[in-house]
Amino acid sequence: MTHQQRRSFIKMSLGTLGTLCIPMMPRSLWAAANSAEPHFYFQVYFSGGLDSTYLFDARPLALTQANVIQNYLGEDPQEWLGTNGTKCLATRLVNPLKPYRDQFSVLNGVVMATGFDGHDQNLNFLLTGDPFGGESFVPHLNRLSSVAPTPLDALIQGYYYANITNSGTTVPLTPDAAQRLTERLKKSEPLSSGSPLYNFILERMSMNAQGYGAFSNGAHAMQRSYSQAPAIAKMLMSLPQPAPVPSPAPPVAVDVSFLKTCMQLFKQGVTRSAIFIPTTNFDTHDATSARGQPSTIGQAAETLAAIFKILSETSFDDHRSFLDVTTVMAASEFGRTLRQRGVAIDATGTDHNSLTNSIIIGGKGIRGGQVFGETDQRTTGETLSKAHLRFDGQSLSMMGRPFDFATGLPRVDLPETYKPEDYLGMASVANSIYSLFGVSSAHYRKLARNGANAPLVPGLLR
Amino acid sequence: MLLVSASLPVSAHALEYGASSGFKGFPVIKRVLSERWLGDAMTLDLAIYLGEGGGYYSSSGLTSLLGSYEGSGGSLNSTFSNGEPNVVALVLWHVIFSELAVDLASTCTSNGKHYTRAASVPVRDSLTAALKPICNWPAASARSDETLLGLWLELMSFDAPEEEYEAWRDFFKGPAYAGATYTQVVSAMVLAAYSNPHFLLRK
């Protein structure tokens, strides 16, 4: 077994700045090949464990004054009311997202991999359902959905480490690399399907794809890809020249040129999904980086708002924007602790907390304006469940409250033990996305080994 | 033009991600062609054909899409990425081999040593010698088994089984290239050889 087959870590690099214009295009090649509804997926991954108490899971200053939770914003949050009857506390850092509140919903208190608090394990868990890694759900949205798959599963820009075994057609095609490819294609011998040479090459791939075994499978993958290559080459050659980079260049955190490239390639039927990883790392163990969170997390919110803005303002066709045809999810791999033990509240960093995560999800198929889930540790002296204390004996963390899947509301009981079916977990979020993309329930994540499928988040989907 | 998307049903092929040979990768192909075309310790800078090269390397560059090791050389953290065959990679390989083929095809008009854009040293004499008879295409001498085998071995060595050579030989002896120019046929021969799974895939 090759090294690649044992473990496949993805580490991608950040592309350079650039902007691409998205002209109104005629009926796309995608539409010509797919009579089904267009549906794309855009994932934003905030690396390192973004502290959701600076966005939609905030705490009043009184808790800071009681030395329970650090708060370097130094302001009381405001109520953020969900249309489904659940509310949360949000800081002013979410203000850039307010114009789009009907387009997305907030999921708080999403419990991640309770037995693991490492970055890799929880990112593996987010993407694959297994802290040791496996198949990511993102390529499944292309390969296992109910519509014909696009040649590439996803584009990706940014760094992350995850053990993904189905990442082969998740391609780090940055805007400037795509532009260089366009230029080279225009200068080189065209890929002409139907020419004797093309047919001969395809035939050799096909002949070698006969039979069984890794080599035959690889030849089959080549054959399948080569059969799409002329059309893709033609699409890539039609990418427009990028607009000049504005001066001064925008901060990297709000660079959305990758999104614009993705929209081009979504529309051309080259790829189904994209994964965008801003450069900022949110792993704030030390006080210095923790104090910088109002700025860094503020930028994260601005980036997300910019993504919603561009998607909603860019036409996909005569009557739809890209947000109408794209599901967007933004998440980190876990949340953070309230503080660090034995450190002054105004000089503390925070540590990993896999007992809660906050997810923002919106766009196509999502009923926006809602809030799902809630975390505990909201008042001083709050009684925590034994299920919580089992994982966090020192009460340094907040944990997602148990969740009522019948009503979609957080429960008020205090479970003695942790049972996955009592909590809103990543499995339910993933299955909800699967459901949106028509992935068969046979592929859904389970609550436990050999257990039932995790239920969908009730009321989240339109 | 219709997009020819993957038309196969979700089958064992599609789902056996872990049971499929991936690409050898850009560094390996570069090393193989460097040794084969130039000789030991020489480098054929294939990235030039993608508008990169010349010492330029970026993990966001196009060559990184062709299968490469990320991380510092010799590091325990180096991992092989982007090795699964995909359409973008095949488009890139097409560009590289097309451009390389153009350079090779100009052998017929060069006297003495022959150079490519990707190296500051000439190609091996044996490769130049194997190409020279092709310059008389479509004369019988250019289409002989001896000539074609000679060129195939220079290009492919023993990377592929005999039936691949036979298929390649029979294709170029057939009607498709009966009236082609030497430039067209050399370019096509290089593309056809290097697009073969036996050259690009790990075994």
Side-chain angles (χ1 to χ4, degrees):
Chain A
M1 185 178 289
T2 65
H3 177 82
Q4 182 187 10
Q5 290 166 332
R6 280 200 301 275
R7 305 183 77 185
S8 297
F9 285 99
I10 304 173
K11 181 174 180 287
M12 310 301 172
S13 66
L14 182 66
T16 58
L17 292 176
T19 54
L20 293 170
C21 296
I22 315 296
M24 265 293 288
M25 295 185 72
R27 180 174 166 78
S28 67
L29 291 170
W30 186 95
N34 289 279
S35 55
E37 268 290 294
H39 195 179
F40 310 106
Y41 180 72
F42 194 83
Q43 170 86 50
V44 182
Y45 166 54
F46 295 118
S47 169
L50 187 148
D51 191 335
S52 55
T53 64
Y54 285 88
L55 290 177
F56 289 103
D57 200 11
R59 294 295 186 275
L61 271 179
L63 279 180
T64 303
Q65 290 153 0
N67 296 320
V68 172
I69 182 172
Q70 48 81 46
N71 182 344
Y72 293 108
L73 190 57
E75 300 169 7
D76 266 316
Q78 302 297 316
E79 270 192 352
W80 179 280
L81 298 172
T83 56
N84 59 329
T86 302
K87 58 188 177 186
C88 61
L89 292 177
T91 71
R92 64 169 170 81
L93 299 181
V94 311
N95 286 351
L97 289 164
K98 280 184 176 176
Y100 311 101
R101 67 181 300 158
D102 293 334
Q103 311 295 327
F104 68 88
S105 286
V106 176
L107 280 63
N108 280 333
V110 179
V111 180
M112 302 299 287
T114 56
F116 302 87
D117 68 354
H119 296 288
D120 295 2
Q121 294 100 333
N122 281 273
L123 182 57
N124 284 337
F125 189 77
L126 188 152
L127 292 172
T128 74
D130 184 338
F132 297 102
E135 291 189 10
S136 164
F137 75 88
V138 177
H140 287 172
L141 304 182
N142 186 39
R143 302 194 191 197
L144 302 180
S145 77
S146 51
V147 299
T150 52
L152 298 179
D153 292 328
L155 301 182
I156 182 169
Q157 178 169 331
Y159 286 113
Y160 70 73
Y161 286 97
N163 185 18
I164 306 299
T165 56
N166 61 342
S167 63
T169 48
T170 298
V171 176
L173 189 64
T174 58
D176 63 314
Q179 193 57 40
R180 272 202 305 286
L181 177 55
T182 298
E183 290 164 7
R184 302 316 295 186
L185 279 169
K186 288 175 181 173
K187 292 176 183 173
S188 63
E189 186 72 23
L191 256 168
S192 304
S193 64
S195 72
L197 177 61
Y198 175 86
N199 290 337
F200 171 75
I201 291 173
L202 193 62
E203 181 211 30
R204 296 322 304 162
M205 293 175 183
S206 173
M207 291 302 293
N208 283 286
Q210 304 302 311
Y212 300 93
F215 182 78
S216 295
N217 288 343
H220 176 81
M222 281 186 70
Q223 174 204 355
R224 187 175 59 209
S225 302
Y226 196 65
S227 68
Q228 301 161 341
I232 298 302
K234 189 167 182 176
M235 291 175 194
L236 289 171
M237 279 197 283
S238 69
L239 283 179
Q241 286 283 341
V245 177
S247 178
V252 171
V254 293
D255 170 27
V256 289
S257 57
F258 173 69
L259 172 61
K260 293 183 177 180
T261 302
C262 292
M263 287 194 289
Q264 282 268 334
L265 297 179
F266 284 168
K267 186 143 189 177
Q268 291 177 334
V270 175
T271 187
R272 171 86 60 217
S273 302
I275 303 170
F276 176 54
I277 305 153
T279 52
T280 307
N281 189 289
F282 296 93
D283 195 20
T284 51
H285 291 287
D286 64 290
T288 302
S289 58
R291 289 194 185 102
Q293 287 175 108
S295 173
T296 55
I297 296 179
Q299 273 190 328
E302 286 173 11
T303 297
L304 205 49
I307 289 168
F308 278 117
K309 178 179 167 67
I310 290 170
L311 287 173
S312 61
E313 292 180 356
T314 307
S315 298
F316 175 77
D317 58 20
D318 291 341
H319 54 280
R320 290 176 292 192
S321 72
F322 267 91
L323 192 58
D324 292 326
V325 295
T326 305
T327 299
V328 179
M329 182 172 103
S332 201
E333 65 266 37
F334 43 48
R336 302 204 75 80
T337 59
L338 302 167
R339 63 188 186 281
Q340 290 166 329
R341 185 170 173 239
V343 184
I345 204 67
D346 59 353
T348 185
T350 55
D351 298 324
H352 306 170
N353 179 13
S354 60
L355 301 179
T356 184
N357 198 0
S358 285
I359 294 174
I360 294 169
I361 184 165
K364 180 174 171 112
I366 301 298
R367 204 181 298 271
Q370 303 184 95
V371 177
F372 295 91
E374 188 177 272
T375 43
D376 58 16
Q377 296 260 39
R378 310 188 76 79
T379 56
T380 52
E382 178 178 333
T383 301
L384 302 177
S385 69
K386 288 183 180 174
H388 177 144
L389 292 171
R390 180 170 173 269
F391 295 116
D392 172 36
Q394 298 176 28
S395 306
L396 290 172
S397 302
M398 50 199 197
M399 179 176 179
R401 290 197 196 281
F403 187 77
D404 187 338
F405 283 91
T407 62
L409 299 173
R411 286 163 30 188
V412 298
D413 59 299
L414 302 175
E416 300 250 325
T417 57
Y418 171 76
K419 294 177 189 171
E421 60 265 32
D422 288 335
Y423 293 85
L424 178 59
M426 188 59 217
S428 288
V429 180
N431 289 350
S432 301
I433 297 173
Y434 275 150
S435 172
L436 268 183
F437 280 82
V439 175
S440 162
S441 61
H443 299 286
Y444 283 7
R445 295 189 189 179
K446 300 193 180 302
L447 287 169
R449 189 189 297 271
N450 300 321
N453 286 343
L456 308 189
V457 181
L460 176 66
L461 307 181
R462 265 193 251 130
Chain B
M1 178 185 293
L2 287 178
L3 169 65
V4 182
S5 60
S7 57
L8 294 171
V10 176
S11 65
H13 276 303
L15 293 175
E16 285 184 89
Y17 301 122
S20 178
S21 283
F23 286 136
K24 290 173 185 167
F26 180 78
V28 170
I29 298 295
K30 177 179 164 182
R31 175 173 52 78
V32 166
L33 291 184
S34 297
E35 289 172 357
R36 200 167 287 173
W37 286 36
L38 305 178
D40 294 342
M42 300 297 175
T43 300
L44 197 64
D45 191 6
L46 296 179
I48 284 279
Y49 299 122
L50 295 178
E52 296 170 359
Y56 167 91
Y57 174 77
S58 166
S59 51
S60 65
L62 292 172
T63 56
S64 69
L65 305 184
L66 296 172
S68 59
Y69 279 91
E70 299 291 325
S72 53
S75 162
L76 290 174
N77 290 324
S78 293
T79 55
F80 190 75
S81 305
N82 303 325
E84 182 175 322
N86 64 78
V87 62
V88 173
L90 283 174
V91 168
L92 287 168
W93 280 124
H94 170 84
V95 170
I96 290 175
F97 295 143
S98 296
E99 296 295 310
L100 195 58
V102 164
D103 284 357
L104 212 54
S106 62
T107 306
C108 294
T109 53
S110 66
N111 293 318
K113 300 293 184 185
H114 182 70
Y115 291 82
T116 65
R117 285 169 285 168
S120 57
V121 296
V123 302
R124 280 183 188 261
D125 290 342
S126 58
L127 178 55
T128 305
L131 279 166
K132 279 298 181 184
I134 308 286
C135 299
N136 298 320
W137 196 273
S141 60
R143 294 158 60 91
S144 71
D145 288 2
E146 183 185 356
T147 296
L148 293 172
L149 179 61
L151 180 58
W152 172 265
L153 289 175
E154 284 296 322
L155 294 176
M156 291 288 281
S157 186
F158 297 98
D159 290 344
E162 191 172 355
E163 53 262 34
E164 295 302 321
Y165 158 68
E166 290 172 349
W168 179 89
R169 175 202 65 198
D170 293 346
F171 173 68
F172 286 102
K173 289 179 77 170
Y177 283 86
T181 65
Y182 68 79
T183 307
Q184 290 170 330
V185 78
V186 169
S187 294
M189 284 177 174
V190 171
L191 254 178
Y194 291 147
S195 300
N196 191 292
H198 287 277
F199 183 71
L200 285 176
L201 293 181
R202 297 180 178 202
K203 293 183 188 177

